[in-house]
Amino acid sequence: MVSRGKNRERIEPTFQDESEDEDLRADQDDRIGSKRKGRTSGKKQAAGSRKAKGSRTSNRQSGGGFGLGKFIYWCFVLSIWCGIGLVGLVGYYASQMPSASTWSIPERPPNMKIVSVEGTVIANRGATGGEALPLEEMSPFIPQAVMAIEDRRFYSHYGVDPLGLGRAIFTNITRGRAVQGGSTLTQQLAKNLFLSPERTVERKVQEVLLAFWLEQKYTKDQILAMYLNRVFFGSNAYGVEAAARRYFNKSARDVNLGEAALLAGLLKAPSRLSPARDPEAAEARAQVVLQAMREEGYVTEDDIKTAMTQSPTKAKRYWSGAGQYVADMVRDDVTALIGKVTEDIVVETTIDLSLEEQAEAVITETLDAEGKKFNTSQAALVSIDGTGAIRALIGGRDYSESQFNRAVKAKRQPGSAFKPFVYAAAMEMGVQPNSLRNDAPIRIGNWTPQNYDEKYRGQVTVAGALADSLNTIAAQLVMEAGPDQVIKVAHRMGIASELQSNASIALGTSEVSLLELTSAYAPFMNGGYKATPYIVRRILKTDGTLIYENNYLEPPRVLNDAVVASMNTMMKGVIDRGTGKRAKLKGWEAAGKTGTTQSFRDALFVGYTSNLTTGVWFGNDNGDSMKKVTGGGLPAKAWHDFMMAAHKGLTPAPLPGSGYVDPAPAENDATIGSILSGVLQGDEQEAQPPAQDPGQAQYPTAEDDYYDSEYPPDDGYPVDEDRILEGPVPPGEVGGGQGSGRRTTLLDLLLGQ
């Protein structure tokens, strides 16, 4: 109450008169109304302020939805511009490419398929290393394995797989490195066919365009076949056929599940994962491929378990196996016969693959068993029939280690294996197997040939001299016939190399290849006809069109029947009772000749039956001496083992001239031999060559030319005779020069001319 009174007094003061009160009241009312209006206005302003504040808050809240829309909008706009830019980029790079109307699949490099006489594939030669196979001929595991690990949606995409690409990007981001690629098989084919391996935007764009083109032009099966026949599998193998033969020595037609998985695994890194380099890594990758195949439903868990039980594939670093030396030889011959190969061809050879494998086994087993013992690291073998067709050829111990063909390209001294040509020349001059000659010291110019044991037997038959390979008799015969005539006979029979016209040719000092030496023996076994060696029978296109066929059906006669009969009689004695006893074949007539060169550097045996002529060589590439290995040792043993296998199941047949009867020896033949020996040797006091000045050529002396007769050879084989003289080749005259170039004949010797 008090408070109200006081307030009233304060708010309502007392006025002195009415008018004044009215004026004051009016004025007060105005003020009060003004205050009320102000309060009302303030309330309204406050309400408006609150409303405005709420409105701003509402506006802020609703403003977030407006920004997201702008973001989506601008993203859409940006994507349009990116699309335009991408189209422009693609268009630009596309403009740099040739017109699509000119695009064509590059020809696959031509392949040379080399087959045996039975039609079995020996090897392939060419840039790819194998022929192209249709998809339906491949093992079904191969395309399945490749698709499972490289392109699972191959049959559903159109050249580019967005899902696969996205998966690869995600995987690479999560792993922090590039572990997976997004290219389809079609893209990979496009890259392999048309583009360089460089990683650029331009190349990737062109790859995509080419992939679309491939998908439009070819079926999926055609694309897959092209890919599998061209892709690189490491170790010089392009295409599944080359890879299968390279790593498994079989056709891609016969590849099993585990092998197919290994091949598919190589595509990630062909060189690094090659089983020739790292078989464990290749096998580990193959397991990944097998799991991918199971996920795709191509194989079951049991199939994988079976595949995993197989041991890791171990491949050599180079092509290996019987026939690789043959394949190289065929490749060279085909180029010489038809020129550059521009399309796939099939070359039919004369090789009997079973004989080839037997020859390889004999050489390998002999060297493995005795090579280290006798310091012998290499060997070669050639076997031909009576027409000259090469049935087996081994150019060395291991093609994967050395591709040099020692049977064809190496030229070495044949040693006494050359003597049959000397004796054949003598037979043509009238000498008979039972003719007598005097085995005694002789001197031809400054050359004094010695027998291997430095012993002399006096009068011997010519046949006996050949069986025991007496050097003195061979030297006498070469001078009777004349070195030039011996060379003519050798060339006529098949020796192609240049031969030196001198007396030492009797002991095989001129170098020849094993192939030509072996083929030159063939006239003895075929009745006197030249057997030009050949290995290519026919060359055909893949459709069967004939390109080339050999024509060795009418060989020339190079020896008459009498000489053939005489030579076969004498060379049978080499095996029956002479230096080649270890070559004797049970049930078959066989003839041949041993040969050993100076310091046991080379050892040979060349022999024949009525079915095959075979030559075998043992030695070292660097010319190191073997440990007393002679032609009658390892070579004769290897020859025997091969020929026994080669003749298994065949009916024995005699050599030509077996029924030939030698005429009785002339009564004065011994006298002729004595005269001849005396003419050749001169006085006994001059058995050794005279001393020569230091500046003159020093020819070997007796000490340099014999085998020590005190030892039996370490190999237990009959001692061979064939020491070849080293140093300058001795002159081919008897006690003087050949100034006139006229051959010294038997008549000249008898008349003292």
Side-chain angles (χ1 to χ4, degrees), residues 221-265:
D221 285 352
Q222 288 174 323
I223 291 172
L224 185 56
M226 281 191 287
Y227 177 83
L228 293 175
N229 280 308
R230 294 171 184 258
V231 68
F232 180 55
F233 285 94
S235 298
N236 265 351
Y238 291 84
V240 291
E241 177 69 5
R245 292 195 178 277
R246 170 66 181 84
Y247 298 124
F248 316 128
N249 198 26
K250 64 169 64 173
S251 172
R253 301 174 179 88
D254 307 318
V255 165
N256 60 35
L257 174 58
E259 293 164 343
L262 188 145
L263 291 179

mmCIF file of all heavy atoms in Angstrom, residues 221-265:
data_model
loop_
_atom_site.group_PDB
_atom_site.id
_atom_site.type_symbol
_atom_site.label_atom_id
_atom_site.label_comp_id
_atom_site.label_asym_id
_atom_site.label_seq_id
_atom_site.Cartn_x
_atom_site.Cartn_y
_atom_site.Cartn_z
ATOM 1 N N ASP A 221 36.849 -66.935 -80.416
ATOM 2 C CA ASP A 221 37.750 -68.083 -80.582
ATOM 3 C C ASP A 221 38.947 -67.722 -81.448
ATOM 4 O O ASP A 221 40.078 -68.150 -81.184
ATOM 5 C CB ASP A 221 36.999 -69.257 -81.210
ATOM 6 C CG ASP A 221 36.063 -69.942 -80.221
ATOM 7 O OD1 ASP A 221 36.118 -69.607 -79.014
ATOM 8 O OD2 ASP A 221 35.280 -70.806 -80.656
ATOM 9 N N GLN A 222 38.712 -66.938 -82.490
ATOM 10 C CA GLN A 222 39.821 -66.529 -83.346
ATOM 11 C C GLN A 222 40.799 -65.635 -82.592
ATOM 12 O O GLN A 222 42.016 -65.769 -82.736
ATOM 13 C CB GLN A 222 39.280 -65.791 -84.574
ATOM 14 C CG GLN A 222 38.574 -66.691 -85.576
ATOM 15 C CD GLN A 222 37.938 -65.903 -86.698
ATOM 16 O OE1 GLN A 222 37.408 -64.805 -86.493
ATOM 17 N NE2 GLN A 222 37.976 -66.450 -87.907
ATOM 18 N N ILE A 223 40.269 -64.721 -81.796
ATOM 19 C CA ILE A 223 41.133 -63.829 -81.011
ATOM 20 C C ILE A 223 41.951 -64.633 -80.010
ATOM 21 O O ILE A 223 43.163 -64.426 -79.862
ATOM 22 C CB ILE A 223 40.288 -62.763 -80.297
ATOM 23 C CG1 ILE A 223 39.687 -61.794 -81.317
ATOM 24 C CG2 ILE A 223 41.131 -61.995 -79.282
ATOM 25 C CD1 ILE A 223 38.693 -60.822 -80.737
ATOM 26 N N LEU A 224 41.301 -65.582 -79.338
ATOM 27 C CA LEU A 224 42.010 -66.391 -78.342
ATOM 28 C C LEU A 224 43.084 -67.248 -79.003
ATOM 29 O O LEU A 224 44.195 -67.386 -78.475
ATOM 30 C CB LEU A 224 41.008 -67.266 -77.592
ATOM 31 C CG LEU A 224 41.558 -68.104 -76.429
ATOM 32 C CD1 LEU A 224 42.260 -67.214 -75.404
ATOM 33 C CD2 LEU A 224 40.444 -68.907 -75.771
ATOM 34 N N ALA A 225 42.782 -67.810 -80.163
ATOM 35 C CA ALA A 225 43.773 -68.633 -80.873
ATOM 36 C C ALA A 225 44.962 -67.792 -81.313
ATOM 37 O O ALA A 225 46.122 -68.212 -81.181
ATOM 38 C CB ALA A 225 43.122 -69.310 -82.077
ATOM 39 N N MET A 226 44.689 -66.591 -81.847
ATOM 40 C CA MET A 226 45.786 -65.708 -82.256
ATOM 41 C C MET A 226 46.664 -65.355 -81.061
ATOM 42 O O MET A 226 47.901 -65.343 -81.159
ATOM 43 C CB MET A 226 45.232 -64.438 -82.900
ATOM 44 C CG MET A 226 44.803 -64.607 -84.338
ATOM 45 S SD MET A 226 44.461 -63.016 -85.154
ATOM 46 C CE MET A 226 42.916 -62.572 -84.380
ATOM 47 N N TYR A 227 46.034 -65.082 -79.943
ATOM 48 C CA TYR A 227 46.793 -64.723 -78.743
ATOM 49 C C TYR A 227 47.683 -65.879 -78.294
ATOM 50 O O TYR A 227 48.882 -65.704 -78.058
ATOM 51 C CB TYR A 227 45.823 -64.336 -77.627
ATOM 52 C CG TYR A 227 46.503 -64.024 -76.312
ATOM 53 C CD1 TYR A 227 47.044 -62.765 -76.066
ATOM 54 C CD2 TYR A 227 46.623 -64.991 -75.312
ATOM 55 C CE1 TYR A 227 47.683 -62.474 -74.868
ATOM 56 C CE2 TYR A 227 47.255 -64.716 -74.119
ATOM 57 C CZ TYR A 227 47.783 -63.456 -73.897
ATOM 58 O OH TYR A 227 48.423 -63.179 -72.715
ATOM 59 N N LEU A 228 47.124 -67.067 -78.194
ATOM 60 C CA LEU A 228 47.875 -68.215 -77.679
ATOM 61 C C LEU A 228 48.987 -68.644 -78.626
ATOM 62 O O LEU A 228 49.976 -69.233 -78.188
ATOM 63 C CB LEU A 228 46.923 -69.386 -77.425
ATOM 64 C CG LEU A 228 45.915 -69.186 -76.297
ATOM 65 C CD1 LEU A 228 44.944 -70.359 -76.230
ATOM 66 C CD2 LEU A 228 46.625 -69.008 -74.952
ATOM 67 N N ASN A 229 48.853 -68.341 -79.907
ATOM 68 C CA ASN A 229 49.881 -68.732 -80.877
ATOM 69 C C ASN A 229 50.971 -67.691 -81.059
ATOM 70 O O ASN A 229 51.945 -67.942 -81.776
ATOM 71 C CB ASN A 229 49.242 -69.030 -82.234
ATOM 72 C CG ASN A 229 48.620 -70.403 -82.290
ATOM 73 O OD1 ASN A 229 49.252 -71.400 -81.964
ATOM 74 N ND2 ASN A 229 47.361 -70.468 -82.684
ATOM 75 N N ARG A 230 50.828 -66.528 -80.397
ATOM 76 C CA ARG A 230 51.810 -65.467 -80.592
ATOM 77 C C ARG A 230 52.438 -64.958 -79.302
ATOM 78 O O ARG A 230 53.498 -64.333 -79.338
ATOM 79 C CB ARG A 230 51.162 -64.274 -81.314
ATOM 80 C CG ARG A 230 50.732 -64.564 -82.732
ATOM 81 C CD ARG A 230 49.901 -63.412 -83.294
ATOM 82 N NE ARG A 230 49.388 -63.684 -84.626
ATOM 83 C CZ ARG A 230 49.892 -63.191 -85.743
ATOM 84 N NH1 ARG A 230 50.935 -62.390 -85.709
ATOM 85 N NH2 ARG A 230 49.370 -63.482 -86.910
ATOM 86 N N VAL A 231 51.812 -65.207 -78.179
ATOM 87 C CA VAL A 231 52.296 -64.627 -76.930
ATOM 88 C C VAL A 231 53.641 -65.234 -76.537
ATOM 89 O O VAL A 231 53.939 -66.397 -76.843
ATOM 90 C CB VAL A 231 51.252 -64.827 -75.805
ATOM 91 C CG1 VAL A 231 51.119 -66.300 -75.445
ATOM 92 C CG2 VAL A 231 51.584 -63.988 -74.587
ATOM 93 N N PHE A 232 54.462 -64.443 -75.870
ATOM 94 C CA PHE A 232 55.816 -64.863 -75.486
ATOM 95 C C PHE A 232 55.775 -65.634 -74.168
ATOM 96 O O PHE A 232 55.188 -65.184 -73.188
ATOM 97 C CB PHE A 232 56.700 -63.629 -75.335
ATOM 98 C CG PHE A 232 58.124 -63.935 -74.951
ATOM 99 C CD1 PHE A 232 58.898 -64.795 -75.709
ATOM 100 C CD2 PHE A 232 58.691 -63.352 -73.827
ATOM 101 C CE1 PHE A 232 60.211 -65.078 -75.367
ATOM 102 C CE2 PHE A 232 60.003 -63.620 -73.473
ATOM 103 C CZ PHE A 232 60.772 -64.482 -74.246
ATOM 104 N N PHE A 233 56.408 -66.816 -74.157
ATOM 105 C CA PHE A 233 56.440 -67.661 -72.970
ATOM 106 C C PHE A 233 57.846 -67.778 -72.382
ATOM 107 O O PHE A 233 58.101 -68.641 -71.555
ATOM 108 C CB PHE A 233 55.921 -69.063 -73.298
ATOM 109 C CG PHE A 233 54.429 -69.140 -73.458
ATOM 110 C CD1 PHE A 233 53.850 -69.024 -74.710
ATOM 111 C CD2 PHE A 233 53.599 -69.315 -72.366
ATOM 112 C CE1 PHE A 233 52.481 -69.091 -74.880
ATOM 113 C CE2 PHE A 233 52.221 -69.395 -72.519
ATOM 114 C CZ PHE A 233 51.658 -69.278 -73.779
ATOM 115 N N GLY A 234 58.758 -66.926 -72.807
ATOM 116 C CA GLY A 234 60.118 -66.986 -72.280
ATOM 117 C C GLY A 234 60.978 -67.982 -73.029
ATOM 118 O O GLY A 234 60.495 -68.842 -73.773
ATOM 119 N N SER A 235 62.288 -67.868 -72.834
ATOM 120 C CA SER A 235 63.263 -68.811 -73.409
ATOM 121 C C SER A 235 63.107 -68.986 -74.914
ATOM 122 O O SER A 235 63.148 -70.100 -75.445
ATOM 123 C CB SER A 235 63.164 -70.170 -72.709
ATOM 124 O OG SER A 235 63.476 -70.057 -71.345
ATOM 125 N N ASN A 236 62.874 -67.861 -75.624
ATOM 126 C CA ASN A 236 62.775 -67.878 -77.086
ATOM 127 C C ASN A 236 61.579 -68.667 -77.604
ATOM 128 O O ASN A 236 61.583 -69.112 -78.755
ATOM 129 C CB ASN A 236 64.044 -68.439 -77.726
ATOM 130 C CG ASN A 236 65.010 -67.353 -78.125
ATOM 131 O OD1 ASN A 236 64.686 -66.175 -78.075
ATOM 132 N ND2 ASN A 236 66.203 -67.744 -78.514
ATOM 133 N N ALA A 237 60.561 -68.853 -76.790
ATOM 134 C CA ALA A 237 59.378 -69.607 -77.201
ATOM 135 C C ALA A 237 58.202 -68.656 -77.370
ATOM 136 O O ALA A 237 57.778 -68.009 -76.416
ATOM 137 C CB ALA A 237 59.049 -70.681 -76.166
ATOM 138 N N TYR A 238 57.659 -68.583 -78.595
ATOM 139 C CA TYR A 238 56.496 -67.758 -78.895
ATOM 140 C C TYR A 238 55.353 -68.673 -79.297
ATOM 141 O O TYR A 238 55.451 -69.402 -80.282
ATOM 142 C CB TYR A 238 56.797 -66.773 -80.018
ATOM 143 C CG TYR A 238 57.764 -65.680 -79.629
ATOM 144 C CD1 TYR A 238 59.135 -65.895 -79.674
ATOM 145 C CD2 TYR A 238 57.307 -64.432 -79.209
ATOM 146 C CE1 TYR A 238 60.031 -64.891 -79.316
ATOM 147 C CE2 TYR A 238 58.195 -63.427 -78.848
ATOM 148 C CZ TYR A 238 59.549 -63.668 -78.908
ATOM 149 O OH TYR A 238 60.428 -62.677 -78.543
ATOM 150 N N GLY A 239 54.282 -68.650 -78.540
ATOM 151 C CA GLY A 239 53.150 -69.516 -78.815
ATOM 152 C C GLY A 239 53.195 -70.773 -77.976
ATOM 153 O O GLY A 239 54.253 -71.217 -77.515
ATOM 154 N N VAL A 240 52.010 -71.365 -77.766
ATOM 155 C CA VAL A 240 51.918 -72.507 -76.842
ATOM 156 C C VAL A 240 52.646 -73.744 -77.367
ATOM 157 O O VAL A 240 53.179 -74.526 -76.584
ATOM 158 C CB VAL A 240 50.444 -72.841 -76.549
ATOM 159 C CG1 VAL A 240 49.797 -71.758 -75.715
ATOM 160 C CG2 VAL A 240 49.655 -73.047 -77.842
ATOM 161 N N GLU A 241 52.669 -73.930 -78.693
ATOM 162 C CA GLU A 241 53.352 -75.111 -79.228
ATOM 163 C C GLU A 241 54.853 -75.030 -78.974
ATOM 164 O O GLU A 241 55.470 -76.011 -78.529
ATOM 165 C CB GLU A 241 53.072 -75.240 -80.720
ATOM 166 C CG GLU A 241 53.784 -76.404 -81.411
ATOM 167 C CD GLU A 241 53.265 -77.773 -80.997
ATOM 168 O OE1 GLU A 241 52.277 -77.837 -80.235
ATOM 169 O OE2 GLU A 241 53.851 -78.778 -81.433
ATOM 170 N N ALA A 242 55.434 -73.874 -79.235
ATOM 171 C CA ALA A 242 56.865 -73.700 -78.984
ATOM 172 C C ALA A 242 57.171 -73.847 -77.500
ATOM 173 O O ALA A 242 58.164 -74.473 -77.116
ATOM 174 C CB ALA A 242 57.325 -72.337 -79.481
ATOM 175 N N ALA A 243 56.324 -73.275 -76.647
ATOM 176 C CA ALA A 243 56.567 -73.343 -75.202
ATOM 177 C C ALA A 243 56.457 -74.774 -74.691
ATOM 178 O O ALA A 243 57.263 -75.218 -73.867
ATOM 179 C CB ALA A 243 55.580 -72.439 -74.476
ATOM 180 N N ALA A 244 55.453 -75.507 -75.170
ATOM 181 C CA ALA A 244 55.280 -76.883 -74.719
ATOM 182 C C ALA A 244 56.466 -77.751 -75.118
ATOM 183 O O ALA A 244 56.947 -78.574 -74.332
ATOM 184 C CB ALA A 244 53.986 -77.458 -75.292
ATOM 185 N N ARG A 245 56.946 -77.559 -76.326
ATOM 186 C CA ARG A 245 58.102 -78.348 -76.761
ATOM 187 C C ARG A 245 59.371 -77.883 -76.063
ATOM 188 O O ARG A 245 60.260 -78.683 -75.794
ATOM 189 C CB ARG A 245 58.249 -78.267 -78.279
ATOM 190 C CG ARG A 245 57.120 -78.963 -79.005
ATOM 191 C CD ARG A 245 57.417 -79.211 -80.463
ATOM 192 N NE ARG A 245 56.323 -79.932 -81.099
ATOM 193 C CZ ARG A 245 56.161 -81.252 -81.057
ATOM 194 N NH1 ARG A 245 57.033 -82.009 -80.414
ATOM 195 N NH2 ARG A 245 55.144 -81.835 -81.660
ATOM 196 N N ARG A 246 59.444 -76.604 -75.767
ATOM 197 C CA ARG A 246 60.629 -76.068 -75.095
ATOM 198 C C ARG A 246 60.744 -76.582 -73.670
ATOM 199 O O ARG A 246 61.808 -77.003 -73.230
ATOM 200 C CB ARG A 246 60.558 -74.530 -75.096
ATOM 201 C CG ARG A 246 61.610 -73.841 -74.225
ATOM 202 C CD ARG A 246 63.008 -74.076 -74.780
ATOM 203 N NE ARG A 246 64.013 -73.458 -73.962
ATOM 204 C CZ ARG A 246 64.561 -73.988 -72.873
ATOM 205 N NH1 ARG A 246 64.174 -75.189 -72.479
ATOM 206 N NH2 ARG A 246 65.495 -73.367 -72.204
ATOM 207 N N TYR A 247 59.649 -76.552 -72.936
ATOM 208 C CA TYR A 247 59.704 -76.875 -71.514
ATOM 209 C C TYR A 247 59.369 -78.333 -71.193
ATOM 210 O O TYR A 247 59.872 -78.889 -70.225
ATOM 211 C CB TYR A 247 58.761 -75.967 -70.735
ATOM 212 C CG TYR A 247 59.118 -74.506 -70.829
ATOM 213 C CD1 TYR A 247 58.210 -73.565 -71.277
ATOM 214 C CD2 TYR A 247 60.393 -74.060 -70.483
ATOM 215 C CE1 TYR A 247 58.539 -72.217 -71.373
ATOM 216 C CE2 TYR A 247 60.740 -72.720 -70.582
ATOM 217 C CZ TYR A 247 59.813 -71.804 -71.025
ATOM 218 O OH TYR A 247 60.153 -70.478 -71.122
ATOM 219 N N PHE A 248 58.508 -78.956 -72.016
ATOM 220 C CA PHE A 248 58.049 -80.316 -71.693
ATOM 221 C C PHE A 248 58.429 -81.340 -72.753
ATOM 222 O O PHE A 248 58.130 -82.522 -72.585
ATOM 223 C CB PHE A 248 56.522 -80.328 -71.520
ATOM 224 C CG PHE A 248 55.980 -79.196 -70.713
ATOM 225 C CD1 PHE A 248 54.956 -78.405 -71.189
ATOM 226 C CD2 PHE A 248 56.509 -78.895 -69.461
ATOM 227 C CE1 PHE A 248 54.454 -77.348 -70.453
ATOM 228 C CE2 PHE A 248 56.016 -77.840 -68.719
ATOM 229 C CZ PHE A 248 54.989 -77.062 -69.209
ATOM 230 N N ASN A 249 59.047 -80.874 -73.860
ATOM 231 C CA ASN A 249 59.422 -81.766 -74.959
ATOM 232 C C ASN A 249 58.215 -82.556 -75.473
ATOM 233 O O ASN A 249 58.286 -83.753 -75.738
ATOM 234 C CB ASN A 249 60.527 -82.734 -74.520
ATOM 235 C CG ASN A 249 61.233 -83.359 -75.712
ATOM 236 O OD1 ASN A 249 61.279 -82.792 -76.796
ATOM 237 N ND2 ASN A 249 61.787 -84.545 -75.521
ATOM 238 N N LYS A 250 57.097 -81.858 -75.596
ATOM 239 C CA LYS A 250 55.885 -82.462 -76.126
ATOM 240 C C LYS A 250 55.069 -81.394 -76.836
ATOM 241 O O LYS A 250 55.328 -80.205 -76.697
ATOM 242 C CB LYS A 250 55.053 -83.100 -75.021
ATOM 243 C CG LYS A 250 54.534 -82.094 -73.992
ATOM 244 C CD LYS A 250 53.498 -82.684 -73.052
ATOM 245 C CE LYS A 250 54.045 -83.778 -72.180
ATOM 246 N NZ LYS A 250 53.046 -84.201 -71.160
ATOM 247 N N SER A 251 54.069 -81.829 -77.588
ATOM 248 C CA SER A 251 53.207 -80.884 -78.287
ATOM 249 C C SER A 251 52.203 -80.264 -77.321
ATOM 250 O O SER A 251 51.833 -80.870 -76.297
ATOM 251 C CB SER A 251 52.454 -81.596 -79.411
ATOM 252 O OG SER A 251 51.473 -80.756 -79.982
ATOM 253 N N ALA A 252 51.733 -79.060 -77.652
ATOM 254 C CA ALA A 252 50.689 -78.417 -76.854
ATOM 255 C C ALA A 252 49.394 -79.221 -76.905
ATOM 256 O O ALA A 252 48.514 -79.025 -76.062
ATOM 257 C CB ALA A 252 50.439 -77.001 -77.356
ATOM 258 N N ARG A 253 49.283 -80.123 -77.849
ATOM 259 C CA ARG A 253 48.116 -81.001 -77.919
ATOM 260 C C ARG A 253 48.058 -81.946 -76.727
ATOM 261 O O ARG A 253 46.975 -82.403 -76.340
ATOM 262 C CB ARG A 253 48.142 -81.821 -79.210
ATOM 263 C CG ARG A 253 48.166 -81.014 -80.491
ATOM 264 C CD ARG A 253 48.339 -81.924 -81.696
ATOM 265 N NE ARG A 253 48.343 -81.214 -82.971
ATOM 266 C CZ ARG A 253 49.409 -80.696 -83.541
ATOM 267 N NH1 ARG A 253 50.581 -80.803 -82.951
ATOM 268 N NH2 ARG A 253 49.325 -80.068 -84.694
ATOM 269 N N ASP A 254 49.224 -82.250 -76.161
ATOM 270 C CA ASP A 254 49.315 -83.284 -75.123
ATOM 271 C C ASP A 254 49.605 -82.730 -73.736
ATOM 272 O O ASP A 254 49.921 -83.492 -72.818
ATOM 273 C CB ASP A 254 50.413 -84.286 -75.502
ATOM 274 C CG ASP A 254 50.219 -84.844 -76.899
ATOM 275 O OD1 ASP A 254 49.070 -85.160 -77.249
ATOM 276 O OD2 ASP A 254 51.211 -84.954 -77.646
ATOM 277 N N VAL A 255 49.505 -81.422 -73.559
ATOM 278 C CA VAL A 255 49.827 -80.804 -72.274
ATOM 279 C C VAL A 255 48.764 -81.167 -71.238
ATOM 280 O O VAL A 255 47.563 -81.115 -71.516
ATOM 281 C CB VAL A 255 49.911 -79.272 -72.443
ATOM 282 C CG1 VAL A 255 49.876 -78.559 -71.107
ATOM 283 C CG2 VAL A 255 51.185 -78.912 -73.195
ATOM 284 N N ASN A 256 49.191 -81.531 -70.019
ATOM 285 C CA ASN A 256 48.239 -81.862 -68.956
ATOM 286 C C ASN A 256 47.887 -80.622 -68.136
ATOM 287 O O ASN A 256 48.362 -79.521 -68.416
ATOM 288 C CB ASN A 256 48.786 -82.982 -68.065
ATOM 289 C CG ASN A 256 50.091 -82.604 -67.385
ATOM 290 O OD1 ASN A 256 50.305 -81.449 -67.003
ATOM 291 N ND2 ASN A 256 50.985 -83.572 -67.226
ATOM 292 N N LEU A 257 47.069 -80.814 -67.102
ATOM 293 C CA LEU A 257 46.569 -79.686 -66.318
ATOM 294 C C LEU A 257 47.692 -78.905 -65.653
ATOM 295 O O LEU A 257 47.746 -77.661 -65.730
ATOM 296 C CB LEU A 257 45.579 -80.192 -65.262
ATOM 297 C CG LEU A 257 45.072 -79.161 -64.249
ATOM 298 C CD1 LEU A 257 44.388 -78.003 -64.949
ATOM 299 C CD2 LEU A 257 44.134 -79.818 -63.248
ATOM 300 N N GLY A 258 48.596 -79.597 -64.974
ATOM 301 C CA GLY A 258 49.683 -78.908 -64.284
ATOM 302 C C GLY A 258 50.579 -78.146 -65.234
ATOM 303 O O GLY A 258 51.008 -77.021 -64.948
ATOM 304 N N GLU A 259 50.852 -78.735 -66.402
ATOM 305 C CA GLU A 259 51.701 -78.068 -67.387
ATOM 306 C C GLU A 259 51.007 -76.846 -67.989
ATOM 307 O O GLU A 259 51.631 -75.817 -68.232
ATOM 308 C CB GLU A 259 52.084 -79.070 -68.479
ATOM 309 C CG GLU A 259 53.001 -80.179 -67.973
ATOM 310 C CD GLU A 259 53.087 -81.362 -68.915
ATOM 311 O OE1 GLU A 259 52.219 -81.502 -69.800
ATOM 312 O OE2 GLU A 259 54.024 -82.170 -68.773
ATOM 313 N N ALA A 260 49.694 -76.968 -68.209
ATOM 314 C CA ALA A 260 48.946 -75.823 -68.732
ATOM 315 C C ALA A 260 48.951 -74.676 -67.731
ATOM 316 O O ALA A 260 49.086 -73.504 -68.109
ATOM 317 C CB ALA A 260 47.508 -76.241 -69.047
ATOM 318 N N ALA A 261 48.807 -74.990 -66.456
ATOM 319 C CA ALA A 261 48.841 -73.957 -65.416
ATOM 320 C C ALA A 261 50.200 -73.277 -65.373
ATOM 321 O O ALA A 261 50.300 -72.053 -65.198
ATOM 322 C CB ALA A 261 48.506 -74.570 -64.059
ATOM 323 N N LEU A 262 51.254 -74.058 -65.547
ATOM 324 C CA LEU A 262 52.595 -73.468 -65.549
ATOM 325 C C LEU A 262 52.765 -72.518 -66.733
ATOM 326 O O LEU A 262 53.305 -71.419 -66.586
ATOM 327 C CB LEU A 262 53.643 -74.579 -65.586
ATOM 328 C CG LEU A 262 55.097 -74.129 -65.402
ATOM 329 C CD1 LEU A 262 55.889 -75.172 -64.626
ATOM 330 C CD2 LEU A 262 55.776 -73.880 -66.743
ATOM 331 N N LEU A 263 52.284 -72.930 -67.910
ATOM 332 C CA LEU A 263 52.401 -72.063 -69.085
ATOM 333 C C LEU A 263 51.625 -70.767 -68.882
ATOM 334 O O LEU A 263 52.118 -69.678 -69.199
ATOM 335 C CB LEU A 263 51.888 -72.790 -70.328
ATOM 336 C CG LEU A 263 52.727 -73.971 -70.838
ATOM 337 C CD1 LEU A 263 52.069 -74.591 -72.057
ATOM 338 C CD2 LEU A 263 54.139 -73.539 -71.170
ATOM 339 N N ALA A 264 50.409 -70.867 -68.361
ATOM 340 C CA ALA A 264 49.608 -69.665 -68.136
ATOM 341 C C ALA A 264 50.261 -68.755 -67.104
ATOM 342 O O ALA A 264 50.203 -67.526 -67.217
ATOM 343 C CB ALA A 264 48.204 -70.059 -67.684
ATOM 344 N N GLY A 265 50.902 -69.341 -66.127
ATOM 345 C CA GLY A 265 51.572 -68.539 -65.103
ATOM 346 C C GLY A 265 52.752 -67.757 -65.634
ATOM 347 O O GLY A 265 53.111 -66.711 -65.082
#
